[in-house]
Amino acid sequence: MAVDVRRVVEIWNPVGKCSGTGYLIADDLVLTALHNVLGCGGLEVRGLDGDSKWLAAEVLWPLTEPLPDLEREPQADGALVRITDAGWLPPVGTEPVRWGRIDGGPVVADEGRLACVAVGFPRSEVRDGIRDTKEIRGHIERLTGLKSGGLITAYVDGVAVPGKRDEKSAWAGASGAALFVRGRLIGVVTTDRRRDYDGDQLTAVSVVGLAARPGFVAAVGELVPEDVTVADREGPPRRATVYDVEVPPGVNNLPEMPSPIFVGRVEVMAELERALSAESQTITQTVHGLGGVGKTTLALHYAHDHAGAYRLVWWIRSDTPELIEAGFAALTVRLRGEESSDLTTTQAAEWAVGWLQTHPGWLLVFDNAEKPGDVHAWTGQLRASGRHLITSRYKRGWVCDPISLSVLDQEASLTLLSGLVGNGEEDEARALADELGHLPLALEQAGAFIAQREVSIAAYRAMLEQYPARAAAAAPGGFDPERTVARIWRITLDVLEEQDPRAVEILRIAAWYAPTGIPRSLFEPLAEDPVDLAQLLGLLADYNMITLDRTGVGIHLMVQMVARTPSADDPHRDQARILAARERATELMLDELPRDPRGNVAGWPTWRALLPHVEAILDAFEPGEDTVEIVSIVTLTGQFLQEQGQLSQATDCLSRSLVAATRLFGDDDPSTLVSRNNLAAAYEVSGDMARAIPLYEQALAGCLRVLGEDHPTTKTVLENLAVARAQHP
């Protein structure tokens, strides 16, 4: 579909006393330039027909204040107008608009220039009773036409200069015209070169750049830009691809708020909104601060409050690179359903990136990122397509100026406490807030304890007096948030121990897994039945020691750190209990892991969910501490990673398995021989035959010596060695 002149409308701004052009992209939705409608709540539009009457309309997007400064952000000069007049009748028989983009790929012989066309109303002159519309025909230079930030330069060919010489802009009135290339709408004409110039060079705003701004796609609906350099010229529509999967409005995977009370964040929320509504140079925004200061809560409130402004909102746990990859893979599962079942985690994540690149206008939230590089590996591929919001405990190394989230001020702390425990005891509440360092996590846990046990704030403070009242002086704000949470942890666990010691045991075990998304099924052996488990987890959640959602169990990093750290004066954290919890966490994980990770494809989703927690368990053991259970876990993990194509990580796991098996069982134990064969196979798959063949040879010699030549393991190793030698004579 090319330009449909029935869709071209003239726009009148009664406040600015200016006219412009628009293009009807839906029955009552007009695309135009933002400067045509600035300062105006009510507009008027009329069609190309000379008998058309002016009809009422209003600005639909953008509405968020402050509006872009077009002098500084010319690439934001786009707007959507809705025709509200009851007498409006849209044109009949129009085809859907096809959106386009100019790619950055190599230029082929006949692609140096792209022909473009638009229709506008320069000066809206009347000649022979008909308004003076002009067809703007020209071209875009492939190599130089697309500017950074989403601006397009178009050269007008073979058309007389419109307008009068005394006009400051030769093309006055044509701004807002839709710019088409090969039947695809790629931009909105905004300005020309002014003053003493023939007016043969126009600037347009890319629709892809507009689509990356919050609210545009949500207002337009479906918007999938096609690459105009490979698009069909005037033929039938191209065949759909998997990337043409569209999402209905409102799709997201947002968790629930960790706390219903949200106070003291008005200014930082406004700062965050300004940052994420800016142009493409600032589409990545990081919020950093201490653990427990409320970064995740802030991000959740922003995401929930602004979900309607984006095509898609997707929450990604980012504690590790594997969690990030799993988050993108989960998006593929949401979009493609059963069609994604045969993809590895890496393949599914790559598909999600491809979809996001071709469907701008989304928000990704990377929560609790540990290292900037882990996130930048993904955001770099998606820089011009949407918005990224990152939360992290780390301040430096981000591509933007991070927003610092500090502890609450005193009044906000009091408001938070009163919301949890009710009003009263103001002096005691003020003192408690000071003692807890105004850390939101500490305040929430204290408030939950006070409300649950129905004790006074004064009584709670008296309990805290048994423990150090001051934190390390070097910490921000004059307190150590880890020790603050540790004090609350001790008091809360005293009560939990009285109610049900199994709840405390679950907490100790959960401390050895990754902090989010712990499957509930891991804890089933600790309960009598599903109802009993739900009650145990609910008890922990009542005291804010864990969080619960449909994906599983979450436990704050600082609570984990405290639970894993021995303390001579805390009976809940004596060395024996901590080590016993680590061993139990290991046993539960081994029981949960699907066997045969190479052949059992049905078990891959479970593996993906458990992998972050497997890695946390493995990190908790020094190599010299590895147990028999750890040998089994690390072997299975290495086989899964090898099957997923993550060969470096696979060889690391299988190498650790061999070292531990040798230490635990001896060099000639059958388990050690199998571990040696597994590691050799991993090296072979990765192409490192110099390591693979000697390991096969050692494994074969051991098998012949211990098992004999007729044993199945011996035959397997012999066959593997023969294949490896054939490939690397």
Side-chain angles (χ1 to χ4, degrees), residues 598 635 639 642 654 673-683:
R598 290 172 176 163
T635 299
Q639 292 172 341
Q642 180 178 327
L654 295 173
L673 298 175
V674 171
S675 293
R676 187 170 286 114
N677 176 75
N678 290 338
L679 179 57
Y683 281 132

Side-chain angles (χ1 to χ4, degrees), residues 479-535:
F479 72 97
D480 180 351
E482 180 180 338
R483 289 199 61 180
T484 301
V485 173
R487 288 186 288 162
I488 298 168
W489 189 85
R490 163 70 189 275
I491 296 169
T492 305
L493 261 65
D494 283 341
V495 178
L496 289 170
E497 187 85 34
E498 292 178 4
Q499 296 193 34
D500 198 323
R502 295 176 302 161
V504 180
E505 183 64 16
I506 287 177
L507 191 67
R508 290 196 195 96
I509 292 170
W512 295 103
Y513 298 136
T516 56
I518 307 171
R520 298 182 188 216
S521 57
L522 279 169
F523 305 114
E524 288 178 356
L526 305 176
E528 297 175 0
D529 51 45
V531 175
D532 185 38
L533 177 61
Q535 290 177 328

Side-chain angles (χ1 to χ4, degrees), residues 317-320 324 366-372 374-375 390-394 398:
R317 302 194 307 271
S318 306
D319 307 79
T320 66
I324 298 175
F366 296 87
D367 185 44
N368 201 33
E370 289 294 324
K371 299 177 182 177
D374 294 343
V375 176
I390 304 166
T391 71
S392 177
R393 292 181 297 163
Y394 298 99
W398 304 103

